[in-house]
Each structure stands twice: as C-alpha cells, then as structure tokens.
Amino acid sequence: MAGKPVLHYVSARGKMECIRWLLAAAGVEFEEKFINTPEDFEKLKKDGSLMFEQVPMVEIDGMKLVQTRAILNYIATKYDLYGKDMKERALIDMYAEGIEDLCQMFRVLAVCLPDEKESKTSLIRDRTKNRYLPAFEKVLKSHGQDYFVGNRLTRVDIQLMELLIYIEELDPSLLAPFPLLKALRSRISNLPNVKKFLQPGSQRKPPMNAKQVEEARKIFKF
C-alpha cells in the first residue's frame, strides 16, 4: 500500500496551497516536510529532488513531482476530479488557468513591498470585480448546474473555492454581486472533506505574516 503523499514547501500558502486544497477535498491524508532554512532548500536541490531547482515538490506514488499544474493534474486524474473526456478537461484547464492568474496576484500581494501594496490591492479589486468573477458567474449562469463542468465536482470547483476565500479575506463585499458564485462557495464548503479542511487545526495555511515573508525571502532569495 502506497504511503501518504509528502509535500515539500515552506509553512505558508504560496503555490502549494492549491495542492493542499485538492488533496484535502479528495479525502487524501498527506504529510508535510517544511523548508525552514536556506540550507533545507539547498539540500533538496543538491540531492536531485527538484528537477528545476524549485518547489512545490510532492512525493507521490514513487515519484517526485514538481511544477504545480503537473501535480494538480496528476492528483485530479488519480481521484476522478478531472472530467470525463477531453472536452471537459479542456474547460477545466481553461477555467483553472483563469483562477490561477488571479491567485498569483494574491501571492504577489502577500510578499510585495509596503509601498506597492496599495496599488496592487487596487488592481486586484478591479480585476476581481470586473474581469474574473463576472466571467465565472457567467459560466454558472449559462448551464444552470451546481458545478462548473459536467455537473459534478472537479478540481476547478476546489481551486475556485480557495480563490473565493482569498477574495473574502481582502474584501467580502467583492463577492456580493455574484449570487451563483456565493451559492457555489456555500455548496463546496459543506462537502464533508472540505468542511473538515476549513476547520481550525487542519493543514490549511493562514495568510502570510511579515515574519513568514522575511523567512521566505531568505530561503528563496527574492
């Protein structure tokens, strides 16, 4: 019997958080080996664990997978969260890429310099309200179904759930004009595995604080 997946990253959200979300939603228990120092990161690079000398890295099914999309696609396929055919997978990929575009803006905001925060926050608000949420609301309205693709849970619903939480943390009012997305958020958050992941004490990570940002800068030299 295969062991639990092992996640290698810092103890923060970053690009690993969507992987944590997907594993948790699939009901998969996982372990985490945190990179706490520059030396920890150098060791992973020197022992050949990181193909491109970067993380996230996930040990799963005898592989050491890097590149976030590859990891997500593997997990989604393994746990039947990636649609039933090529057309559904293409839609899932398209929606997920849009979600990732906005998620990346939140990641940049978390580590940006103080004098950049106001302008980056303003841009996120604008893109959230006028570009991304209207597009996602339109998808749900167009087919009248409970989930984004195939009327069943897929990785895109889970990734959107993560994004909606980030948006609510920034400004809850941004979600108010989008009733179908609000309903989806409620629906996903009440799934047993997701509900468990949302509880205190889970492996879900809180927003980065100033100390974590500084530690990440030292480890990854950015």
Side-chain angles (χ1 to χ4, degrees), residues 16 53 61 90 95 102 118 122 133 136 164 167 186 194 210 219:
M16 186 65 88
E53 299 189 356
D61 295 340
Y95 301 153
L102 191 50
E118 184 176 347
S122 178
L133 292 192
F136 295 134
L164 293 179
I167 291 169
S186 178
V194 175
I219 292 169

Side-chain angles (χ1 to χ4, degrees), residues 111-194:
V111 299
C112 74
L113 298 173
D115 60 355
E116 299 174 330
K117 195 167 288 284
E118 184 176 347
S119 63
K120 291 187 182 301
T121 299
S122 178
L123 181 60
I124 288 175
R125 288 178 188 275
D126 177 69
R127 294 285 172 83
T128 296
K129 182 171 60 175
N130 298 313
R131 179 181 296 186
Y132 291 100
L133 292 192
F136 295 134
E137 184 84 357
K138 184 177 179 180
V139 172
L140 293 174
K141 187 175 182 179
S142 70
H143 59 47
Q145 297 176 345
D146 288 342
Y147 299 100
F148 264 87
V149 178
N151 204 28
R152 62 197 290 261
L153 185 69
T154 67
R155 58 171 272 204
V156 73
D157 301 295
I158 301 304
Q159 287 176 254
L160 185 69
M161 177 70 189
E162 177 196 0
L163 174 61
L164 293 179
I165 286 178
Y166 296 167
I167 291 169
E168 288 178 334
E169 289 173 349
L170 180 70
D171 181 354
S173 71
L174 290 171
L175 192 55
F178 305 100
L180 298 180
L181 288 172
K182 288 173 64 178
L184 178 75
R185 188 226 184 282
S186 178
R187 189 178 305 118
I188 300 299
S189 66
N190 281 296
L191 295 174
N193 289 334
V194 175

